Amino acid sequence: ISNIAGDLILRGSRMDVNAWQGTMFGVRLSKVRMEIPDLTPGKEVLNVSGEAEGPTSDFFAFMEQSPVAGMTGDFTHGWQAQGTGRLALKLSIPLGDTAKSTIAGAYQFSNNTVTIAPELPMVEQAGGRIEFTETAVRAQTVKGVVLGGPVTISATTSRDAAVQISALGRLNADIARRTGGPQWVQRLRGATDWRASLTARKRSADVVIESNLQGLAVNLPAPLVKAAAETLPVRFERRFLAAGED
């Protein structure tokens, strides 16, 4: 914790710090409160809480620098965001055994644009809540717009430090064409449902996207040619490797 500005209060064996600013893991906090309830040697535990409002890109940087990165394999590395949000953070540090430190927080955001990878469509008008501890990350009912249609996203971590992200969405090709979607969207008409999963481990990720394309007229190279009323089950798989991996 650095750049602290506030008041230090000592009462008997207790210490309190009420600060109006401080920096932790690269994020500037406001309303910072720190306390050591018992200064008796061997019993000192530092509790820290604070809030921050700012760019979502700063939150991704916080994730990379905090203990959460080790638990999640730094899965947000390379993510980009436009927009802002609000971070609430709590940290408990046994000063005699910092390895047992705990962290808990939540990030609330709305109307953001998030890009996971250049090869994947961006999530526009994204909003929701991400909760995390030193051992887990969870996001439920994060909503946004992908390729002209609504999407709902959830995420959780598994015991092997993998992050599982699931998405259910609807591609609206007519809207996507008007709003500057990828070039291949120009060959589509109509709308269709899709689902996707992303499993991230140590900066690598496996992506699977599936749809039966019902409701979508497709005029791409064969065999991806069909009328809107027809179904054509498709499955797209892609592995994104960390730098230096083959």
mmCIF file of all heavy atoms in Angstrom, residues 186-233:
data_model
loop_
_atom_site.group_PDB
_atom_site.id
_atom_site.type_symbol
_atom_site.label_atom_id
_atom_site.label_comp_id
_atom_site.label_asym_id
_atom_site.label_seq_id
_atom_site.Cartn_x
_atom_site.Cartn_y
_atom_site.Cartn_z
ATOM 1 N N GLN A 186 -21.261 -9.478 -43.705
ATOM 2 C CA GLN A 186 -21.914 -8.931 -44.895
ATOM 3 C C GLN A 186 -22.582 -10.018 -45.731
ATOM 4 O O GLN A 186 -23.451 -9.712 -46.567
ATOM 5 C CB GLN A 186 -20.890 -8.171 -45.748
ATOM 6 C CG GLN A 186 -20.153 -7.062 -45.011
ATOM 7 C CD GLN A 186 -21.086 -6.018 -44.453
ATOM 8 O OE1 GLN A 186 -22.041 -5.609 -45.122
ATOM 9 N NE2 GLN A 186 -20.815 -5.570 -43.229
ATOM 10 N N ARG A 187 -22.214 -11.273 -45.518
ATOM 11 C CA ARG A 187 -22.778 -12.386 -46.303
ATOM 12 C C ARG A 187 -23.905 -13.094 -45.553
ATOM 13 O O ARG A 187 -24.338 -14.166 -45.965
ATOM 14 C CB ARG A 187 -21.667 -13.399 -46.630
ATOM 15 C CG ARG A 187 -20.389 -12.782 -47.178
ATOM 16 C CD ARG A 187 -20.599 -12.147 -48.539
ATOM 17 N NE ARG A 187 -20.900 -13.141 -49.547
ATOM 18 C CZ ARG A 187 -19.970 -13.808 -50.240
ATOM 19 N NH1 ARG A 187 -18.683 -13.570 -50.015
ATOM 20 N NH2 ARG A 187 -20.315 -14.693 -51.160
ATOM 21 N N LEU A 188 -24.376 -12.482 -44.457
ATOM 22 C CA LEU A 188 -25.422 -13.098 -43.636
ATOM 23 C C LEU A 188 -26.660 -12.215 -43.611
ATOM 24 O O LEU A 188 -26.573 -10.993 -43.704
ATOM 25 C CB LEU A 188 -24.933 -13.317 -42.204
ATOM 26 C CG LEU A 188 -23.582 -14.017 -42.005
ATOM 27 C CD1 LEU A 188 -23.266 -14.106 -40.521
ATOM 28 C CD2 LEU A 188 -23.589 -15.396 -42.641
ATOM 29 N N ARG A 189 -27.825 -12.859 -43.450
ATOM 30 C CA ARG A 189 -29.086 -12.151 -43.280
ATOM 31 C C ARG A 189 -29.898 -12.871 -42.195
ATOM 32 O O ARG A 189 -29.935 -14.096 -42.151
ATOM 33 C CB ARG A 189 -29.899 -12.124 -44.588
ATOM 34 C CG ARG A 189 -29.234 -11.403 -45.747
ATOM 35 C CD ARG A 189 -29.162 -9.906 -45.495
ATOM 36 N NE ARG A 189 -28.633 -9.175 -46.648
ATOM 37 C CZ ARG A 189 -27.351 -9.000 -46.905
ATOM 38 N NH1 ARG A 189 -26.432 -9.530 -46.110
ATOM 39 N NH2 ARG A 189 -26.967 -8.309 -47.963
ATOM 40 N N GLY A 190 -30.535 -12.074 -41.313
ATOM 41 C CA GLY A 190 -31.371 -12.678 -40.285
ATOM 42 C C GLY A 190 -30.675 -12.762 -38.943
ATOM 43 O O GLY A 190 -29.729 -12.016 -38.655
ATOM 44 N N ALA A 191 -31.130 -13.709 -38.102
ATOM 45 C CA ALA A 191 -30.600 -13.835 -36.737
ATOM 46 C C ALA A 191 -30.642 -15.289 -36.304
ATOM 47 O O ALA A 191 -31.457 -16.082 -36.800
ATOM 48 C CB ALA A 191 -31.413 -12.978 -35.766
ATOM 49 N N THR A 192 -29.769 -15.645 -35.388
ATOM 50 C CA THR A 192 -29.727 -17.012 -34.877
ATOM 51 C C THR A 192 -29.111 -17.038 -33.484
ATOM 52 O O THR A 192 -28.344 -16.139 -33.122
ATOM 53 C CB THR A 192 -28.915 -17.927 -35.822
ATOM 54 O OG1 THR A 192 -29.110 -19.292 -35.441
ATOM 55 C CG2 THR A 192 -27.420 -17.606 -35.761
ATOM 56 N N ASP A 193 -29.468 -18.067 -32.699
ATOM 57 C CA ASP A 193 -28.898 -18.233 -31.357
ATOM 58 C C ASP A 193 -27.555 -18.953 -31.431
ATOM 59 O O ASP A 193 -27.312 -19.752 -32.348
ATOM 60 C CB ASP A 193 -29.859 -19.042 -30.477
ATOM 61 C CG ASP A 193 -31.168 -18.306 -30.217
ATOM 62 O OD1 ASP A 193 -31.139 -17.064 -30.166
ATOM 63 O OD2 ASP A 193 -32.207 -18.976 -30.069
ATOM 64 N N TRP A 194 -26.712 -18.695 -30.450
ATOM 65 C CA TRP A 194 -25.419 -19.367 -30.357
ATOM 66 C C TRP A 194 -25.027 -19.515 -28.892
ATOM 67 O O TRP A 194 -25.561 -18.845 -28.021
ATOM 68 C CB TRP A 194 -24.337 -18.588 -31.117
ATOM 69 C CG TRP A 194 -24.140 -17.173 -30.649
ATOM 70 C CD1 TRP A 194 -24.777 -16.062 -31.106
ATOM 71 C CD2 TRP A 194 -23.268 -16.725 -29.600
ATOM 72 N NE1 TRP A 194 -24.370 -14.939 -30.433
ATOM 73 C CE2 TRP A 194 -23.431 -15.319 -29.502
ATOM 74 C CE3 TRP A 194 -22.363 -17.358 -28.758
ATOM 75 C CZ2 TRP A 194 -22.729 -14.552 -28.581
ATOM 76 C CZ3 TRP A 194 -21.646 -16.591 -27.839
ATOM 77 C CH2 TRP A 194 -21.830 -15.208 -27.755
ATOM 78 N N ARG A 195 -24.107 -20.405 -28.641
ATOM 79 C CA ARG A 195 -23.544 -20.563 -27.299
ATOM 80 C C ARG A 195 -22.041 -20.763 -27.424
ATOM 81 O O ARG A 195 -21.551 -21.253 -28.439
ATOM 82 C CB ARG A 195 -24.178 -21.745 -26.560
ATOM 83 C CG ARG A 195 -23.949 -23.095 -27.186
ATOM 84 C CD ARG A 195 -24.644 -24.193 -26.386
ATOM 85 N NE ARG A 195 -24.420 -25.518 -26.967
ATOM 86 C CZ ARG A 195 -25.195 -26.061 -27.887
ATOM 87 N NH1 ARG A 195 -26.235 -25.376 -28.362
ATOM 88 N NH2 ARG A 195 -24.931 -27.256 -28.376
ATOM 89 N N ALA A 196 -21.328 -20.370 -26.383
ATOM 90 C CA ALA A 196 -19.871 -20.450 -26.428
ATOM 91 C C ALA A 196 -19.328 -20.767 -25.049
ATOM 92 O O ALA A 196 -19.954 -20.477 -24.027
ATOM 93 C CB ALA A 196 -19.274 -19.132 -26.932
ATOM 94 N N SER A 197 -18.150 -21.373 -25.037
ATOM 95 C CA SER A 197 -17.433 -21.621 -23.789
ATOM 96 C C SER A 197 -15.966 -21.265 -24.003
ATOM 97 O O SER A 197 -15.420 -21.448 -25.097
ATOM 98 C CB SER A 197 -17.565 -23.089 -23.353
ATOM 99 O OG SER A 197 -16.941 -23.947 -24.286
ATOM 100 N N LEU A 198 -15.358 -20.744 -22.949
ATOM 101 C CA LEU A 198 -13.934 -20.405 -22.973
ATOM 102 C C LEU A 198 -13.316 -20.952 -21.702
ATOM 103 O O LEU A 198 -13.780 -20.660 -20.598
ATOM 104 C CB LEU A 198 -13.738 -18.896 -23.075
ATOM 105 C CG LEU A 198 -12.288 -18.372 -23.199
ATOM 106 C CD1 LEU A 198 -12.282 -17.050 -23.962
ATOM 107 C CD2 LEU A 198 -11.644 -18.167 -21.821
ATOM 108 N N THR A 199 -12.283 -21.774 -21.868
ATOM 109 C CA THR A 199 -11.544 -22.319 -20.728
ATOM 110 C C THR A 199 -10.136 -21.768 -20.781
ATOM 111 O O THR A 199 -9.400 -22.008 -21.739
ATOM 112 C CB THR A 199 -11.512 -23.853 -20.771
ATOM 113 O OG1 THR A 199 -12.850 -24.358 -20.790
ATOM 114 C CG2 THR A 199 -10.794 -24.401 -19.543
ATOM 115 N N ALA A 200 -9.768 -20.985 -19.756
ATOM 116 C CA ALA A 200 -8.471 -20.307 -19.737
ATOM 117 C C ALA A 200 -7.585 -20.892 -18.654
ATOM 118 O O ALA A 200 -8.018 -21.086 -17.516
ATOM 119 C CB ALA A 200 -8.664 -18.811 -19.506
ATOM 120 N N ARG A 201 -6.323 -21.192 -19.037
ATOM 121 C CA ARG A 201 -5.304 -21.658 -18.095
ATOM 122 C C ARG A 201 -3.973 -21.000 -18.450
ATOM 123 O O ARG A 201 -3.508 -21.122 -19.583
ATOM 124 C CB ARG A 201 -5.122 -23.183 -18.154
ATOM 125 C CG ARG A 201 -6.287 -24.006 -17.644
ATOM 126 C CD ARG A 201 -5.926 -25.492 -17.668
ATOM 127 N NE ARG A 201 -7.003 -26.349 -17.202
ATOM 128 C CZ ARG A 201 -7.971 -26.814 -17.988
ATOM 129 N NH1 ARG A 201 -7.965 -26.486 -19.283
ATOM 130 N NH2 ARG A 201 -8.911 -27.580 -17.495
ATOM 131 N N LYS A 202 -3.388 -20.293 -17.494
ATOM 132 C CA LYS A 202 -2.041 -19.740 -17.648
ATOM 133 C C LYS A 202 -1.869 -18.996 -18.980
ATOM 134 O O LYS A 202 -0.989 -19.269 -19.767
ATOM 135 C CB LYS A 202 -0.988 -20.855 -17.536
ATOM 136 C CG LYS A 202 -0.978 -21.532 -16.174
ATOM 137 C CD LYS A 202 0.065 -22.615 -16.105
ATOM 138 C CE LYS A 202 0.063 -23.285 -14.728
ATOM 139 N NZ LYS A 202 1.080 -24.360 -14.627
ATOM 140 N N ARG A 203 -2.756 -18.051 -19.225
ATOM 141 C CA ARG A 203 -2.715 -17.176 -20.394
ATOM 142 C C ARG A 203 -3.036 -17.886 -21.707
ATOM 143 O O ARG A 203 -2.970 -17.260 -22.768
ATOM 144 C CB ARG A 203 -1.373 -16.451 -20.517
ATOM 145 C CG ARG A 203 -1.054 -15.523 -19.357
ATOM 146 C CD ARG A 203 0.172 -14.671 -19.675
ATOM 147 N NE ARG A 203 0.474 -13.760 -18.575
ATOM 148 C CZ ARG A 203 1.446 -12.861 -18.610
ATOM 149 N NH1 ARG A 203 2.201 -12.745 -19.688
ATOM 150 N NH2 ARG A 203 1.670 -12.069 -17.571
ATOM 151 N N SER A 204 -3.350 -19.180 -21.679
ATOM 152 C CA SER A 204 -3.819 -19.889 -22.856
ATOM 153 C C SER A 204 -5.320 -20.127 -22.702
ATOM 154 O O SER A 204 -5.831 -20.188 -21.589
ATOM 155 C CB SER A 204 -3.092 -21.220 -23.029
ATOM 156 O OG SER A 204 -1.706 -21.008 -23.238
ATOM 157 N N ALA A 205 -6.022 -20.259 -23.821
ATOM 158 C CA ALA A 205 -7.471 -20.411 -23.744
ATOM 159 C C ALA A 205 -7.977 -21.285 -24.878
ATOM 160 O O ALA A 205 -7.477 -21.215 -26.009
ATOM 161 C CB ALA A 205 -8.151 -19.051 -23.785
ATOM 162 N N ASP A 206 -8.967 -22.113 -24.562
ATOM 163 C CA ASP A 206 -9.678 -22.908 -25.555
ATOM 164 C C ASP A 206 -11.082 -22.323 -25.705
ATOM 165 O O ASP A 206 -11.814 -22.185 -24.725
ATOM 166 C CB ASP A 206 -9.772 -24.370 -25.123
ATOM 167 C CG ASP A 206 -8.414 -25.043 -25.097
ATOM 168 O OD1 ASP A 206 -7.677 -24.918 -26.091
ATOM 169 O OD2 ASP A 206 -8.084 -25.690 -24.082
ATOM 170 N N VAL A 207 -11.450 -22.003 -26.940
ATOM 171 C CA VAL A 207 -12.736 -21.396 -27.227
ATOM 172 C C VAL A 207 -13.545 -22.338 -28.107
ATOM 173 O O VAL A 207 -13.030 -22.868 -29.108
ATOM 174 C CB VAL A 207 -12.569 -20.039 -27.933
ATOM 175 C CG1 VAL A 207 -13.931 -19.447 -28.297
ATOM 176 C CG2 VAL A 207 -11.793 -19.075 -27.055
ATOM 177 N N VAL A 208 -14.813 -22.552 -27.743
ATOM 178 C CA VAL A 208 -15.733 -23.359 -28.542
ATOM 179 C C VAL A 208 -17.011 -22.551 -28.746
ATOM 180 O O VAL A 208 -17.598 -22.059 -27.780
ATOM 181 C CB VAL A 208 -16.072 -24.698 -27.863
ATOM 182 C CG1 VAL A 208 -17.087 -25.477 -28.708
ATOM 183 C CG2 VAL A 208 -14.816 -25.526 -27.648
ATOM 184 N N ILE A 209 -17.445 -22.392 -30.009
ATOM 185 C CA ILE A 209 -18.669 -21.673 -30.339
ATOM 186 C C ILE A 209 -19.544 -22.607 -31.174
ATOM 187 O O ILE A 209 -19.072 -23.210 -32.149
ATOM 188 C CB ILE A 209 -18.372 -20.382 -31.122
ATOM 189 C CG1 ILE A 209 -17.431 -19.474 -30.319
ATOM 190 C CG2 ILE A 209 -19.668 -19.646 -31.452
ATOM 191 C CD1 ILE A 209 -16.956 -18.259 -31.093
ATOM 192 N N GLU A 210 -20.827 -22.718 -30.813
ATOM 193 C CA GLU A 210 -21.737 -23.634 -31.490
ATOM 194 C C GLU A 210 -23.051 -22.938 -31.834
ATOM 195 O O GLU A 210 -23.510 -22.064 -31.098
ATOM 196 C CB GLU A 210 -22.029 -24.853 -30.615
ATOM 197 C CG GLU A 210 -20.805 -25.709 -30.315
ATOM 198 C CD GLU A 210 -21.135 -26.863 -29.387
ATOM 199 O OE1 GLU A 210 -21.403 -26.585 -28.204
ATOM 200 O OE2 GLU A 210 -21.133 -28.014 -29.850
ATOM 201 N N SER A 211 -23.657 -23.357 -32.950
ATOM 202 C CA SER A 211 -24.960 -22.850 -33.361
ATOM 203 C C SER A 211 -25.535 -23.778 -34.422
ATOM 204 O O SER A 211 -24.790 -24.447 -35.141
ATOM 205 C CB SER A 211 -24.842 -21.428 -33.926
ATOM 206 O OG SER A 211 -26.084 -20.975 -34.416
ATOM 207 N N ASN A 212 -26.874 -23.809 -34.511
ATOM 208 C CA ASN A 212 -27.487 -24.562 -35.620
ATOM 209 C C ASN A 212 -27.844 -23.633 -36.782
ATOM 210 O O ASN A 212 -28.363 -24.087 -37.806
ATOM 211 C CB ASN A 212 -28.721 -25.339 -35.158
ATOM 212 C CG ASN A 212 -29.837 -24.437 -34.651
ATOM 213 O OD1 ASN A 212 -29.820 -23.220 -34.851
ATOM 214 N ND2 ASN A 212 -30.835 -25.029 -34.000
ATOM 215 N N LEU A 213 -27.584 -22.331 -36.620
ATOM 216 C CA LEU A 213 -27.768 -21.315 -37.664
ATOM 217 C C LEU A 213 -29.208 -21.168 -38.144
ATOM 218 O O LEU A 213 -29.451 -20.511 -39.163
ATOM 219 C CB LEU A 213 -26.853 -21.591 -38.866
ATOM 220 C CG LEU A 213 -25.349 -21.629 -38.588
ATOM 221 C CD1 LEU A 213 -24.591 -21.793 -39.898
ATOM 222 C CD2 LEU A 213 -24.880 -20.389 -37.849
ATOM 223 N N GLN A 214 -30.162 -21.748 -37.426
ATOM 224 C CA GLN A 214 -31.568 -21.601 -37.847
ATOM 225 C C GLN A 214 -31.981 -20.133 -37.725
ATOM 226 O O GLN A 214 -31.720 -19.476 -36.721
ATOM 227 C CB GLN A 214 -32.481 -22.475 -37.004
ATOM 228 C CG GLN A 214 -33.918 -22.494 -37.508
ATOM 229 C CD GLN A 214 -34.766 -23.515 -36.793
ATOM 230 O OE1 GLN A 214 -34.476 -23.895 -35.667
ATOM 231 N NE2 GLN A 214 -35.833 -23.976 -37.438
ATOM 232 N N GLY A 215 -32.628 -19.633 -38.771
ATOM 233 C CA GLY A 215 -33.044 -18.234 -38.807
ATOM 234 C C GLY A 215 -32.057 -17.338 -39.517
ATOM 235 O O GLY A 215 -32.323 -16.147 -39.711
ATOM 236 N N LEU A 216 -30.919 -17.907 -39.931
ATOM 237 C CA LEU A 216 -29.864 -17.125 -40.563
ATOM 238 C C LEU A 216 -29.665 -17.595 -41.992
ATOM 239 O O LEU A 216 -29.432 -18.788 -42.240
ATOM 240 C CB LEU A 216 -28.565 -17.287 -39.780
ATOM 241 C CG LEU A 216 -27.450 -16.264 -40.050
ATOM 242 C CD1 LEU A 216 -27.867 -14.884 -39.557
ATOM 243 C CD2 LEU A 216 -26.162 -16.706 -39.360
ATOM 244 N N ALA A 217 -29.796 -16.686 -42.956
ATOM 245 C CA ALA A 217 -29.463 -16.991 -44.344
ATOM 246 C C ALA A 217 -27.971 -16.744 -44.530
ATOM 247 O O ALA A 217 -27.465 -15.669 -44.198
ATOM 248 C CB ALA A 217 -30.271 -16.120 -45.286
ATOM 249 N N VAL A 218 -27.269 -17.748 -45.057
ATOM 250 C CA VAL A 218 -25.816 -17.704 -45.144
ATOM 251 C C VAL A 218 -25.390 -17.856 -46.599
ATOM 252 O O VAL A 218 -25.828 -18.774 -47.295
ATOM 253 C CB VAL A 218 -25.169 -18.821 -44.293
ATOM 254 C CG1 VAL A 218 -23.651 -18.732 -44.369
ATOM 255 C CG2 VAL A 218 -25.646 -18.738 -42.854
ATOM 256 N N ASN A 219 -24.510 -16.974 -47.058
ATOM 257 C CA ASN A 219 -23.984 -17.037 -48.422
ATOM 258 C C ASN A 219 -22.462 -16.941 -48.372
ATOM 259 O O ASN A 219 -21.847 -16.040 -48.939
ATOM 260 C CB ASN A 219 -24.563 -15.910 -49.283
ATOM 261 C CG ASN A 219 -24.156 -16.041 -50.742
ATOM 262 O OD1 ASN A 219 -23.846 -17.142 -51.212
ATOM 263 N ND2 ASN A 219 -24.125 -14.925 -51.457
ATOM 264 N N LEU A 220 -21.854 -17.912 -47.669
ATOM 265 C CA LEU A 220 -20.409 -18.019 -47.576
ATOM 266 C C LEU A 220 -19.946 -19.170 -48.469
ATOM 267 O O LEU A 220 -20.780 -19.918 -49.008
ATOM 268 C CB LEU A 220 -20.000 -18.267 -46.119
ATOM 269 C CG LEU A 220 -20.222 -17.093 -45.149
ATOM 270 C CD1 LEU A 220 -20.075 -17.551 -43.705
ATOM 271 C CD2 LEU A 220 -19.251 -15.962 -45.446
ATOM 272 N N PRO A 221 -18.651 -19.351 -48.645
ATOM 273 C CA PRO A 221 -18.185 -20.494 -49.449
ATOM 274 C C PRO A 221 -18.734 -21.816 -48.926
ATOM 275 O O PRO A 221 -18.880 -22.017 -47.711
ATOM 276 C CB PRO A 221 -16.662 -20.406 -49.305
ATOM 277 C CG PRO A 221 -16.389 -18.955 -49.060
ATOM 278 C CD PRO A 221 -17.540 -18.485 -48.224
ATOM 279 N N ALA A 222 -19.050 -22.742 -49.853
ATOM 280 C CA ALA A 222 -19.586 -24.053 -49.497
ATOM 281 C C ALA A 222 -18.649 -24.747 -48.498
ATOM 282 O O ALA A 222 -17.423 -24.587 -48.576
ATOM 283 C CB ALA A 222 -19.750 -24.904 -50.754
ATOM 284 N N PRO A 223 -19.237 -25.466 -47.536
ATOM 285 C CA PRO A 223 -20.653 -25.832 -47.416
ATOM 286 C C PRO A 223 -21.489 -24.852 -46.597
ATOM 287 O O PRO A 223 -22.620 -25.174 -46.228
ATOM 288 C CB PRO A 223 -20.554 -27.186 -46.690
ATOM 289 C CG PRO A 223 -19.386 -27.001 -45.760
ATOM 290 C CD PRO A 223 -18.400 -26.162 -46.525
ATOM 291 N N LEU A 224 -20.967 -23.664 -46.309
ATOM 292 C CA LEU A 224 -21.698 -22.706 -45.482
ATOM 293 C C LEU A 224 -22.619 -21.848 -46.352
ATOM 294 O O LEU A 224 -22.477 -20.621 -46.467
ATOM 295 C CB LEU A 224 -20.721 -21.828 -44.696
ATOM 296 C CG LEU A 224 -19.885 -22.562 -43.646
ATOM 297 C CD1 LEU A 224 -18.909 -21.605 -42.972
ATOM 298 C CD2 LEU A 224 -20.784 -23.207 -42.595
ATOM 299 N N VAL A 225 -23.590 -22.535 -46.991
ATOM 300 C CA VAL A 225 -24.607 -21.875 -47.793
ATOM 301 C C VAL A 225 -25.957 -22.462 -47.392
ATOM 302 O O VAL A 225 -26.140 -23.686 -47.425
ATOM 303 C CB VAL A 225 -24.367 -22.082 -49.310
ATOM 304 C CG1 VAL A 225 -25.469 -21.408 -50.115
ATOM 305 C CG2 VAL A 225 -23.003 -21.570 -49.717
ATOM 306 N N LYS A 226 -26.895 -21.609 -46.996
ATOM 307 C CA LYS A 226 -28.189 -22.126 -46.547
ATOM 308 C C LYS A 226 -29.228 -21.031 -46.532
ATOM 309 O O LYS A 226 -28.909 -19.832 -46.481
ATOM 310 C CB LYS A 226 -28.073 -22.726 -45.130
ATOM 311 C CG LYS A 226 -27.647 -21.715 -44.082
ATOM 312 C CD LYS A 226 -27.618 -22.329 -42.695
ATOM 313 C CE LYS A 226 -28.978 -22.580 -42.114
ATOM 314 N NZ LYS A 226 -29.766 -21.346 -41.909
ATOM 315 N N ALA A 227 -30.505 -21.447 -46.584
ATOM 316 C CA ALA A 227 -31.623 -20.529 -46.429
ATOM 317 C C ALA A 227 -31.893 -20.321 -44.943
ATOM 318 O O ALA A 227 -31.492 -21.128 -44.094
ATOM 319 C CB ALA A 227 -32.862 -21.084 -47.124
ATOM 320 N N ALA A 228 -32.611 -19.267 -44.606
ATOM 321 C CA ALA A 228 -32.859 -18.936 -43.204
ATOM 322 C C ALA A 228 -33.636 -20.039 -42.483
ATOM 323 O O ALA A 228 -33.388 -20.313 -41.307
ATOM 324 C CB ALA A 228 -33.605 -17.604 -43.108
ATOM 325 N N ALA A 229 -34.559 -20.699 -43.169
ATOM 326 C CA ALA A 229 -35.392 -21.712 -42.516
ATOM 327 C C ALA A 229 -34.643 -23.016 -42.256
ATOM 328 O O ALA A 229 -35.092 -23.832 -41.448
ATOM 329 C CB ALA A 229 -36.636 -21.983 -43.364
ATOM 330 N N GLU A 230 -33.537 -23.228 -42.900
ATOM 331 C CA GLU A 230 -32.786 -24.468 -42.749
ATOM 332 C C GLU A 230 -31.899 -24.412 -41.510
ATOM 333 O O GLU A 230 -31.527 -23.347 -41.030
ATOM 334 C CB GLU A 230 -31.915 -24.711 -43.986
ATOM 335 C CG GLU A 230 -32.696 -24.873 -45.271
ATOM 336 C CD GLU A 230 -31.783 -24.974 -46.481
ATOM 337 O OE1 GLU A 230 -30.688 -24.368 -46.463
ATOM 338 O OE2 GLU A 230 -32.158 -25.660 -47.444
ATOM 339 N N THR A 231 -31.552 -25.619 -41.011
ATOM 340 C CA THR A 231 -30.582 -25.717 -39.922
ATOM 341 C C THR A 231 -29.283 -26.286 -40.473
ATOM 342 O O THR A 231 -29.289 -27.122 -41.385
ATOM 343 C CB THR A 231 -31.086 -26.624 -38.791
ATOM 344 O OG1 THR A 231 -31.296 -27.946 -39.303
ATOM 345 C CG2 THR A 231 -32.379 -26.087 -38.201
ATOM 346 N N LEU A 232 -28.186 -25.815 -39.918
ATOM 347 C CA LEU A 232 -26.858 -26.298 -40.308
ATOM 348 C C LEU A 232 -25.968 -26.216 -39.070
ATOM 349 O O LEU A 232 -25.374 -25.180 -38.790
ATOM 350 C CB LEU A 232 -26.277 -25.454 -41.444
ATOM 351 C CG LEU A 232 -24.863 -25.845 -41.916
ATOM 352 C CD1 LEU A 232 -24.864 -27.251 -42.486
ATOM 353 C CD2 LEU A 232 -24.356 -24.840 -42.949
ATOM 354 N N PRO A 233 -25.891 -27.319 -38.304
ATOM 355 C CA PRO A 233 -25.086 -27.281 -37.072
ATOM 356 C C PRO A 233 -23.612 -27.008 -37.377
ATOM 357 O O PRO A 233 -23.018 -27.665 -38.240
ATOM 358 C CB PRO A 233 -25.277 -28.689 -36.488
ATOM 359 C CG PRO A 233 -26.551 -29.186 -37.082
ATOM 360 C CD PRO A 233 -26.585 -28.598 -38.471
#
